[in-house]
Amino acid sequence: DVKVTQSSRYLVKRTGEKVFLECVQDMDHENMFWYRQDPGLGLRLIYFSYDVKMKEKGDIPEGYSVSREKKERFSLILESASTNQTSMYLCASRGPRDRALNQPQHFGDGTRLSIL
Amino acid sequence: RKEVEQDPGPFNVPEGATVAFNCTYSNSASQSFFWYRQDCRKEPKLLMSVYSSGNEDGRFTAQLNRASQYISLLIRDSKLSDSATYLCVVNSIPVTGGTSYGKLTFGQGTILTVHP
């Protein structure tokens, strides 16, 4: 089974802090994703990466950046946390790239981030 | 118009009932389709892929209608444990540039509650 591990289940930070959310997958997948999920808004894609050092903006990238230095790890960075970034953050992986069209995504457990 | 639309429900049904969810998608170039299940405060998990000819997995049947651009999920003999949010997911090919694998687009989900 695919294992996607997020570093924290619950996290509380203060406004203005730089926040790092880490995600690791063990299936050698090329594709990795960061979403946030809010009541009434569903899952929204923040950023995704289809290879090491490659990244593309999703639907709501503002206020976020990402890092993919190693294939198994995809980090989401809140440069200066704000209260409207309080949310559930979900990491996912998918692959391999050449057969990705028929592959589902596998999610981590999620990180509930609160910005005070 | 949203790329993927679902009736948010909630659907409240008694145990043993048959319930059906529909989902419409706007991108005719969509290539693959999935149903995910999400329990309260948990990550989405793949329920089943949806194939062109329709497919069944136990009490669950998924169908795809490309001409009308909708997919459906039928649950027979509902169980209490079926209570969850069901997410319709579509994989579309980018129209211009970007990566070749496409990205998954999630509907907002349909809430199902099965009661005794």
Side-chain angles (χ1 to χ4, degrees):
Chain A
D1 279 354
V2 177
K3 183 69 176 175
V4 180
T5 304
Q6 294 183 227
S7 51
S8 305
R9 290 298 304 274
Y10 301 94
L11 205 54
V12 179
K13 296 291 182 180
R14 295 201 174 277
T15 303
E17 280 193 70
K18 190 169 186 175
V19 182
F20 294 84
L21 301 182
E22 306 286 346
C23 176
V24 176
Q25 49 92 7
D26 66 355
M27 283 300 292
D28 202 36
H29 284 170
E30 286 97 344
N31 305 299
M32 296 187 75
F33 308 82
W34 274 106
Y35 295 85
R36 64 179 282 177
Q37 187 173 31
D38 302 286
L41 297 176
L43 273 164
R44 293 182 291 168
L45 182 64
I46 304 171
Y47 265 99
F48 61 99
S49 169
Y50 51 92
D51 208 342
V52 176
K53 297 191 185 295
M54 306 302 285
K55 60 185 180 184
E56 282 199 24
K57 293 179 180 179
D59 301 316
I60 51 163
E62 297 78 19
Y64 303 94
S65 62
V66 290
S67 173
R68 185 101 180 265
E69 295 297 318
K70 294 184 178 181
K71 195 174 187 180
E72 68 271 17
R73 186 180 298 271
F74 191 35
S75 303
L76 179 70
I77 303 154
L78 285 66
E79 297 291 345
S80 177
S82 62
T83 54
N84 63 12
Q85 292 178 308
T86 291
S87 186
M88 167 75 130
Y89 288 87
L90 287 155
C91 174
S93 77
R94 186 183 186 208
R97 190 190 311 158
D98 59 340
R99 287 185 282 123
L101 277 179
N102 296 315
Q103 299 295 315
Q105 284 182 354
H106 302 273
F107 286 87
D109 291 342
T111 297
R112 289 202 171 272
L113 175 64
S114 296
I115 307 297
L116 304 179
Chain B
R1 183 184 172 188
K2 292 179 182 174
E3 284 191 61
V4 179
E5 292 204 64
Q6 294 181 250
D7 181 346
F11 286 66
N12 294 298
V13 302
E15 275 186 286
T18 295
V19 61
F21 308 137
N22 288 330
C23 165
T24 58
Y25 60 95
S26 60
N27 186 345
S28 59
S30 298
Q31 296 291 314
S32 53
F33 311 87
F34 309 92
W35 283 102
Y36 276 70
R37 171 199 169 120
Q38 186 171 22
D39 294 302
C40 188
R41 303 178 76 83
K42 298 277 194 176
E43 77 277 16
K45 292 186 178 178
L46 178 68
L47 179 65
M48 58 196 303
S49 301
V50 186
Y51 302 120
S52 295
S53 55
N55 49 298
E56 191 173 302
D57 182 1
R59 298 180 293 107
F60 299 84
T61 301
Q63 292 198 312
L64 167 64
N65 185 320
R66 285 190 186 272
S68 300
Q69 294 181 206
Y70 81 79
I71 65 176
S72 64
L73 177 68
L74 181 77
I75 305 175
R76 291 183 301 278
D77 189 23
S78 300
K79 311 290 184 192
L80 296 176
S81 58
D82 293 335
S83 296
T85 298
Y86 290 83
L87 301 168
C88 170
V89 185
V90 174
N91 189 159
S92 303
I93 300 295
V95 176
T96 56
T99 58
S100 61
Y101 75 94
K103 66 174 186 175
L104 294 183
T105 302
F106 288 77
Q108 287 201 23
T110 298
I111 298 170
L112 171 65
T113 302
V114 181
H115 57 81

